[in-house]
Amino acid sequence: MKFVDSVTIHAIAGHGGQGMVAYRREKFVPRGGPSGGNGGHGGSVTFVANRNVGTLIDLRYRSEIRARDGRRGEPKMKNGANAEDALVRVPVGTVVRDASTREIIGDLVSDGDVCVAAQGGRGGKGNAFFKTSVNQTPSYAQPGESGAELTVTLEL
């Protein structure tokens, strides 16, 4: 087995889901109003120290790690689902650095330490969030924010 002690990876976090523009329409509700839900948050790229991993050989041939995007909002004030984080197991003693500036992002010195390399984007607000006494039927919603994108170097 080959020992690999340095790897460069492009980490891409997930985008937040967009808010929904929807209106309540039921038979006996004459003025239903807005009912668009908020979008879900995007997933983050997270490195977790694990004492059962001894080398970075699993990450040697992976050029990028991508987290999932959040789901969009739904009608009836249903929020979109948050995306799961992309968890990457690395050996204990791994140093996570920004590849361009060489700045240390995290130092994983004990079992179970966590370092979030790329934070996922927030979900957008639906039109039910913007309802006020002055604007009772807003016809707009926010788009989701984009997730962070970063090239990191992992060193043992």
Side-chain angles (χ1 to χ4, degrees):
M1 183 166 120
K2 186 176 179 181
F3 183 77
V4 177
D5 63 349
S6 180
V7 172
T8 301
I9 294 177
H10 191 68
I12 303 170
H15 299 293
Q18 66 183 33
M20 176 73 140
V21 175
Y23 298 97
R24 184 174 176 192
R25 293 182 54 181
E26 295 179 23
K27 186 173 183 179
F28 297 109
V29 182
R31 294 186 182 98
S35 68
N38 302 333
H41 299 299
S44 301
V45 177
T46 306
F47 295 102
V48 180
N50 190 333
R51 63 185 169 98
N52 296 326
V53 178
T55 181
L56 296 171
I57 191 71
D58 296 337
L59 304 173
R60 176 68 176 175
Y61 300 106
R62 289 183 69 177
S63 61
E64 71 177 24
I65 296 173
R66 184 181 296 266
R68 293 185 179 265
D69 296 338
R71 300 279 308 264
R72 65 178 289 150
E74 297 180 6
K76 298 184 182 177
M77 294 195 200
K78 293 181 185 176
N79 293 337
N82 295 334
E84 292 184 10
D85 293 342
L87 298 176
V88 181
R89 297 181 330 152
V90 294
V92 175
T94 302
V95 177
V96 181
R97 294 180 184 264
D98 186 351
S100 60
T101 63
R102 304 292 297 160
E103 179 183 344
I104 294 177
I105 298 172
D107 191 6
L108 308 173
V109 293
S110 62
D111 189 31
D113 283 352
V114 175
C115 172
V116 178
Q119 184 69 36
R122 290 188 314 147
K125 304 291 184 190
N127 69 338
F129 178 83
F130 297 109
K131 177 175 60 175
T132 62
S133 62
V134 177
N135 186 7
Q136 295 181 3
T137 56
S139 60
Y140 51 87
Q142 287 180 336
E145 293 180 1
S146 59
E149 193 169 332
L150 184 68
T151 302
V152 296
T153 302
L154 305 174
E155 298 173 351
L156 275 176

